[in-house]
Amino acid sequence: MRRTQVRIALLALPALVGSVLMATAPAGAEPTAGSGRSQLEDPAQVRLVHIQMAGADMLDKVVAAGFDLEHGLKRVPNGIEGEAVVTAEQIAELEAMGVEILGDDEGFAWSNEADGGIQARRAQAVQLLSHEETVRIVRADWFTTKGQGFLYVEARTTAGQQTNPIVTMQLENDSGADTSFGFARTMSRFVDSGQYMFHRNLFKLDARPSQIRVTSSTGGVATGYVSNWLEDGAPPLTANPAYKWDFVDGYRTPQQLYSRAEEIARQYPDIAEIVYLPNKTNGYQRKAQATIGGTGQSAVVVSSAAWGHEGGNDITVEFVNRPEANLPLTVEVAGKAVRVLLAKDASGALASTAAQVATALRTQSQGLIDRAHPYRTNAGTGIVAATSGPVALTDFLNEKRAGAPEGEVPRGPATIPVLRIGKHRDGRNPGVLIQAQDHAREWVPATTSLESAERLVHNYKSDWETKKIVDNTDVFFILSNNPDGANYSFYNFASQRRNMTNHCADDNADPARRNSWGVDLNRNYRVGSGHDGYSGGSTSCVSDTYQGPEKLSEPESKNIIWLVEKYRNIKFMMSVHSNGGQLFWQPGAYIADGRITTPRPPLGDEAFYWQSAARILSQVKAHRQTVVTPENVGGSSDVLYSSAGNVREDLYHNYGIYAFGWEVGGSIYNPATGNWQGGSFQPAWVGNPELVSGHAETMEYANGIMEMFRVAADWGQDNKKPTSKLVPGGGKYSGPVDVRFETSEPATIYYTTDGSRPTLESPRYAATEFREPGQVFHVTETTTFKWFSVDSAGNIEQNYDPTNNDTRNNYRTATITVAK
Ligand SMILES: [Zn+2]
């Protein structure tokens, strides 16, 4: 019997485990209980500040404390830079945690590096590595933007987790083909949740190197060729002079977005229709409230039974001090006027506590008040003071913020329309779901999506490339998936992120908390959920990443699941967010203890994601040279942080949908300062057209969405079978040999080495480690590989049927014969 030994030289990928260890996040970010005196109490003023954290551990603590750091995060050599929407008190709290407050517009400056050399040469990134190396080059990417060249390098050392001493890595580059290495500089070690990830840096260079060399302090060396990141050139769509674009001329409220979607469906009935989502939102509405009777232990928080716009706002509550002594506590109601006649003691002093008044209001207000309680965590033991007159309850929604758009906002639950565009809307074509504005304050994703829809319908008759998209895809646009929160962002509180559902118990239900209620819709899904111990969702109802009381608690997230279950042809999804300049896929969440991620996509899907991302981002770049850098592309928990229960994980793992997440805007290179500049949630619409501008971001990212449609159309038309090979191939070798698989296109390989027939249950050819190419097998004895490959569209190499044990057995086979 011939014995086969295949040794895989490199470390196995982390496995998903079922155990759940993560503790729930504390509520945190609690301002101290302040005045509860009046219903006019202002919520804490908030502002956007740039911050720097020492590393992932500090980031985890800050997020766990309830701070919202969803956007604008980027790795810098000394830690992680980000943006936080905070009050002055929260700034002090951040500083106490060791966070550095950078102020506004103070981006990190990449150091200028030496001139790289002469001729650029296009080359495939090939790793000249063997299993004995202690260093591997993960990526070596070259790009230019606005006249400046950049080299981005990721490299791993197998001693990366070692801390005593920490292994350092030096990067050198040549000056073009056949020149020597030089310009040594130290790389930055990237550690996340206690795990060494890799070393990485973005360096300015004036000319493209051909190769790089990375040397570790423990003696490992690797060299590799430099690849180009993103194509340069004109977009295929706007290359047609007749192509029409630039339709959206300003930010759009949900009402404006939805009425335009319905109008498009009426104007273009042959290619467009509306699908109404079945679950209405919980509504742009709130109960009418006031905090009355004093502060602290003496305060009573009062909430109307009816919504504010359905009568709650008409209610008044008065605490009355009668002149006599020895009087009981009682409540009088006349119409919508509630009078609490406070108790008096024998000496004629007021004698009702806040707890007693709250109970009296709940039980004696003839149904007008159904929620009344002491303030925050107080027991309500203080004596309540009389008011100077009736206090009007309010839902605060009439208080418009400065600069709010004209028009009244419809109150109550909203129905979300989906604008469906496609010539054949019968399931034959691949569906693409574009979902914008899960997060209310992100205004550019909505205009980007609307611009893309306009381009499809206006160019269908006149532009061949657009016609191909509309004829071969089935696009579903949700222009705003959070209309209640978006209205609140437009009309009341610009920094609103979540929806408007108040899940808080009494300790957080007073009206001063009103800007802190709501569920983060992109934490409310089922895979990699915070409810199962994954990191990045909060259990606190006043955290900006509140995950909700249970998975899919919110109508907005239920709707997405309804849509993808009803329209099973949906195979692509883009969850559009702002701002940051990032493009994500899976894995997007991990359990912090051990950094256990959701399952990684197989190598074929990973390659397809990268290929699609490069196409999409090349089209973004074509507009005004904006580059989303490779350090910001990939599994979101690999390059940024864990976001538990996000929509992408659910759609990919439960429905096999290629589910991207996009942070549009921000991170654009400013040649005047030499820095990368961050954006904002609501940049000036015109702004600086070369830098931060809502209009420019809308146009460039709409280019990317159009390319995503082309990716989907190509995928739907793809009936070409992949091919694959072992490198080097079968044959006789004088000693042990290192082999790996190569495929003609993004494809997943299933293989055996024990002589059995390969099936879909066979081992999958995997990456060496995440973000790296396929593993290398160190073959020391004669071995026969049997395998087949499957591309992203499901085509199988040589038409092999792995499910059916047919007699053709037309899988691939190669024998590596190793001489003894
Ligand atoms: Zn977002």
Side-chain angles (χ1 to χ4, degrees), residues 311-361:
N313 288 338
D314 302 329
I315 297 172
T316 61
V317 175
E318 183 176 10
F319 293 175
V320 180
N321 181 5
R322 292 165 287 172
E324 300 86 359
N326 272 326
L327 294 170
L329 170 65
T330 186
V331 176
E332 292 178 353
V333 178
K336 294 289 184 69
V338 178
R339 297 181 83 231
V340 178
L341 308 179
L342 299 169
K344 306 289 289 281
D345 65 14
S347 66
L350 287 171
S352 294
T353 66
Q356 289 166 339
V357 169
T359 303
L361 279 167

Side-chain angles (χ1 to χ4, degrees), residues 102-300:
L102 300 177
D104 288 317
D105 297 320
E106 208 176 306
F108 169 74
W110 295 101
S111 58
N112 275 295
E113 292 299 337
D115 181 356
I118 17 173
Q119 285 293 330
R121 173 159 77 90
R122 185 183 173 86
Q124 191 85 19
V126 175
Q127 294 182 62
L128 307 176
L129 301 176
S130 83
H131 58 284
E132 279 128 3
E133 301 276 348
T134 57
V135 170
R136 298 193 305 276
I137 293 167
V138 179
R139 306 190 64 84
D141 293 321
W142 167 261
F143 63 87
T144 60
T145 179
K146 312 215 169 168
Q148 178 63 57
F150 288 90
L151 174 65
Y152 174 69
V153 177
E154 288 174 11
R156 271 198 179 89
T157 160
T158 47
Q161 191 71 21
Q162 173 185 318
T163 54
N164 187 24
I166 285 176
V167 176
T168 59
M169 303 260 270
Q170 295 283 318
L171 170 71
E172 300 164 280
N173 59 273
D174 66 14
S175 305
D178 304 319
T179 60
S180 55
F181 288 115
F183 320 105
R185 75 221 94 159
T186 302
M187 296 187 70
S188 301
R189 182 169 174 262
F190 172 25
V191 175
D192 186 56
S193 198
Q195 299 291 311
Y196 169 72
M197 305 286 283
F198 39 77
H199 282 69
R200 67 175 174 183
N201 283 93
L202 182 67
F203 295 103
K204 278 183 189 172
L205 281 181
D206 289 337
R208 188 189 190 284
S210 170
Q211 292 190 67
I212 61 164
R213 179 166 68 191
V214 177
T215 309
S216 81
S217 54
T218 51
V221 180
T223 59
Y225 285 101
V226 174
S227 296
N228 287 335
W229 173 244
L230 306 185
E231 300 294 322
D232 287 308
L237 294 173
T238 52
N240 174 1
Y243 184 78
K244 295 184 272 296
W245 57 289
D246 200 0
F247 293 99
V248 183
D249 60 5
Y251 291 119
R252 293 287 187 271
T253 66
Q255 292 72 248
Q256 293 170 324
L257 294 168
Y258 295 171
S259 73
R260 178 58 191 148
E262 287 163 342
E263 192 176 43
I264 286 173
R266 285 194 299 273
Q267 288 176 329
Y268 302 91
D270 53 329
I271 56 169
E273 65 179 296
I274 298 290
V275 174
Y276 289 99
L277 293 173
N279 300 292
K280 285 177 177 258
T281 67
N282 289 331
Y284 177 76
Q285 60 186 3
R286 276 197 305 233
K287 299 301 176 70
Q289 290 190 297
T291 301
I292 315 175
T295 60
Q297 292 289 355
S298 299
V300 183

Side-chain angles (χ1 to χ4, degrees), residues 70-71 438-439 442 497 522 576-579 663 681:
E70 168 82 341
H71 300 278
D438 246 358
H439 293 145
E442 299 166 12
R497 166 182 165 94
N522 207 26
V576 193
H577 291 251
S578 71
N579 63 93
E663 296 283 348
F681 296 120

Side-chain angles (χ1 to χ4, degrees), residues 703-724:
N703 276 10
I705 288 180
M706 299 302 283
E707 186 64 19
M708 185 177 180
F709 298 150
R710 287 159 46 89
V711 167
D714 291 348
W715 182 90
Q717 308 269 296
D718 178 8
N719 53 17
K720 190 174 170 195
K721 295 164 188 54
T723 61
S724 60

